[in-house]
C-alpha cells in the first residue's frame, strides 16, 4: 500500500473497530473528535490531515423505532455528514473515497430477489427507515455524480445487516438486532420476547468479514461499487432459533406479533458483482459468528 495515508470516519463503530485491527496505521476519527455535520470542522479535518484515501463509515444510525420517531433528524444528519465529507475530500485532493452504504437503500418491495446494484432506484425504500434509506441512497448519487463531473475514482460498498462483538452493548435503542437478541438470551432464564412477527428475511454479516473486504478493496484499488453480503438469508425467527439452540437451548421464544415493527419483509442482495473482484471470500457462518459475540457478553 506504500505511503497511502488513510482516514476512517466513524472509527468507533463496529466496522471501524474491526478495521483498526487490520489497518492499524490509518487515522480513525469518531463523533468525540468533532461533528461531521459542521462544514468548518470537516474542512479543517481534510485540509490538515490531507489523506490519500477516505473510508467513510460515519452515519447517524438507530433501530426501527428510533427511525420511525426521528425521520427528519436521520435525513438531515446523514445528508450533512455525507455532503461535507465527500465535498471536502474532493476539495483537498483525496484520490480514493470509499463510501459505506446499507442494503436499506434498496426498494421496499421488488418482483425479483436477490436484488442487484441496478435495482437501487426501482422504488422507494422501506417506510420504517425511509429517511435514513434515502439519505444513504443520496450518497450513491453524490459519488456517481463526482465521478461523472470530476473524473474521480470514488466508489461505495452496499453492506447487508451487520453484527459483532465490538457493537455497543449498553444503549438499547442504538443496539443492532443481533446484539440485542444475544443480550436478551444471556439475561433471560425462561423466555425471550422479540418485536414483530419474526417473518422478515435478513442477510446478516459478521462485521469483521466486512472489514476484511474493505481492506481488500483498498489494497487492490478496486474502484467499482457493489453489494457485500453473506449468502445466508434467514428469517428473524430462524436466526433467533439458531441462537437459542446454540447458546441456551432451554429458552422459549415469543414474538409480540406487531407487523408494523417488522420493517422490510426482505432485502437480500446478490453478490455476483463482488465475486468478480473478490472471488471465493469465506464468510463467517452465522452459528459461528454469534458464538464470538455471545462469548463477549458472557
Amino acid at each position: 500500500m506504500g505511503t497511502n495515508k488513510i482516514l476512517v470516519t466513524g472509527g468507533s463503530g463496529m466496522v471501524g473497530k474491526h478495521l483498526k485491527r487490520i489497518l492499524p496505521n490509518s487515522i480513525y476519527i469518531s463523533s468525540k473528535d468533532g461533528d461531521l455535520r459542521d462544514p468548518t470542522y470537516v474542512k479543517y479535518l481534510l485540509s490538515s490531515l490531507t489523506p490519500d484515501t477516505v473510508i467513510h463509515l460515519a452515519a447517524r444510525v438507530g433501530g426501527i423505532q428510533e427511525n420511525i420517531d426521528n425521520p427528519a433528524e436521520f435525513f438531515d444528519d446523514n445528508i450533512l455528514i455525507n455532503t461535507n465529507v465527500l465535498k471536502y475530500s474532493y476539495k483537498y485532493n483525496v484520490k480514493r473515497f470509499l463510501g459505506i452504504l446499507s442494503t436499506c437503500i434498496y426498494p421496499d418491495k421488488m418482483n425479483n430477489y436477490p436484488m442487484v446494484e441496478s435495482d437501487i432506484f426501482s422504488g422507494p425504500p422501506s417506510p420504517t427507515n425511509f429517511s435514513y434509506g434515502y439519505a444513504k441512497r443520496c450518497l450513491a448519487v453524490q459519488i456517481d455524480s463526482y465521478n461523472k463531473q470530476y473524473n474521480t475514482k470514488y466508489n461505495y460498498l452496499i453492506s447487508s445487516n451487520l453484527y459483532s462483538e465490538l457493537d455497543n452493548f449498553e444503549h438499547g435503542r442504538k443496539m443492532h438486532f443481533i446484539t440485542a437478541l444475544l443480550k436478551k438470551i444471556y439475561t433471560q432464564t425462561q423466555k425471550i420476547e422479540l418485536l414483530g412477527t419474526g417473518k422478515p428475511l435478513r442477510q446478516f454479516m459478521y462485521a469483521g468479514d466486512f472489514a476484511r473486504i474493505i481492506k481488500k478493496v483498498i489494497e487492490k484499488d478496486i474502484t467499482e461499487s457493489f453489494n457485500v453480503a453473506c449468502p445466508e438469508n434467514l428469517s428473524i425467527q430462524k436466526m433467533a432459533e439458531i441462537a437459542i439452540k446454540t447458546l441456551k437451548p432451554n429458552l422459549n421464544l415469543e414474538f409480540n406479533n406487531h407487523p408494523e415493527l417488522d420493517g422490510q419483509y426482505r432485502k437480500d442482495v446478490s453478490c455476483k458483482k463482488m465475486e468478480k473482484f473478490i472471488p471465493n471470500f469465506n464468510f463467517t457462518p452465522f452459528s459461528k459468528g454469534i458464538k464470538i459475540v455471545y462469548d463477549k457478553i458472557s
Side-chain angles (χ1 to χ4, degrees), residues 76-88:
D76 285 352
D77 289 352
N78 283 298
I79 288 290
L80 289 170
I81 289 168
N82 295 339
T83 299
N84 288 335
V85 176
L86 182 58
K87 177 180 178 179
Y88 288 107

Side-chain angles (χ1 to χ4, degrees), residues 9-13 28-37 41 58-59 81:
T9 68
S12 63
Y28 293 83
I29 61 158
S30 72
S31 54
K32 292 179 181 177
D33 300 299
D35 187 348
L36 295 176
R37 295 171 299 181
Y41 166 68
I81 289 168

Side-chain angles (χ1 to χ4, degrees), residues 79-268:
I79 288 290
L80 289 170
I81 289 168
N82 295 339
T83 299
N84 288 335
V85 176
L86 182 58
K87 177 180 178 179
Y88 288 107
S89 290
Y90 173 72
K91 185 178 176 71
Y92 291 103
N93 302 312
V94 168
K95 293 179 177 62
R96 291 285 289 105
F97 181 98
L98 179 60
I100 304 304
L101 308 183
S102 159
T103 50
C104 68
I105 71 174
Y106 277 100
D108 183 37
K109 294 181 176 69
M110 289 287 292
N111 292 325
N112 297 302
Y113 292 91
M115 293 181 284
V116 297
E117 290 79 2
S118 58
D119 289 329
I120 292 173
F121 303 103
S122 298
S126 169
T128 47
N129 58 358
F130 184 84
S131 295
Y132 175 77
Y134 238 116
K136 296 296 275 186
R137 188 186 284 190
C138 285
L139 180 56
V141 175
Q142 284 179 300
I143 289 171
D144 290 339
S145 298
Y146 271 69
N147 289 340
K148 185 175 181 180
Q149 185 168 342
Y150 302 124
N151 202 31
T152 46
K153 292 184 177 179
Y154 295 171
N155 64 328
Y156 48 89
L157 300 179
I158 308 165
S159 164
S160 66
N161 295 71
L162 300 168
Y163 68 95
S164 166
E165 75 278 16
L166 302 179
D167 193 9
N168 187 330
F169 288 87
E170 304 304 322
H171 299 94
R173 283 166 68 85
K174 293 186 180 296
M175 223 181 276
H176 293 79
F177 167 70
I178 297 297
T179 312
L181 168 66
L182 298 183
K183 194 165 184 179
K184 281 186 177 182
I185 291 173
Y186 178 68
T187 56
Q188 300 303 314
T189 55
Q190 293 182 314
K191 70 172 184 177
I192 61 168
E193 184 181 58
L194 302 180
L195 301 177
T197 65
K199 293 177 181 177
L201 301 170
R202 290 292 181 270
Q203 290 168 302
F204 266 93
M205 174 170 52
Y206 179 57
D209 292 348
F210 189 40
R212 289 192 292 127
I213 288 170
I214 291 171
K215 183 172 185 272
K216 286 180 182 289
V217 168
I218 298 300
E219 288 179 339
K220 296 173 76 172
D221 198 29
I222 297 167
T223 59
E224 293 282 338
S225 299
F226 50 80
N227 298 322
V228 181
C230 185
E232 293 177 291
N233 186 36
L234 306 172
S235 71
I236 297 294
Q237 181 172 340
K238 182 66 175 175
M239 283 187 280
E241 289 170 350
I242 291 170
I244 289 171
K245 182 180 179 182
T246 306
L247 307 169
K248 199 181 278 190
N250 295 326
L251 275 184
N252 291 314
L253 173 64
E254 294 181 4
F255 289 87
N256 72 1
N257 284 314
H258 285 277
E260 70 275 10
L261 296 175
D262 273 347
Q264 210 165 346
Y265 172 62
R266 66 182 294 183
K267 56 175 184 171
D268 44 303

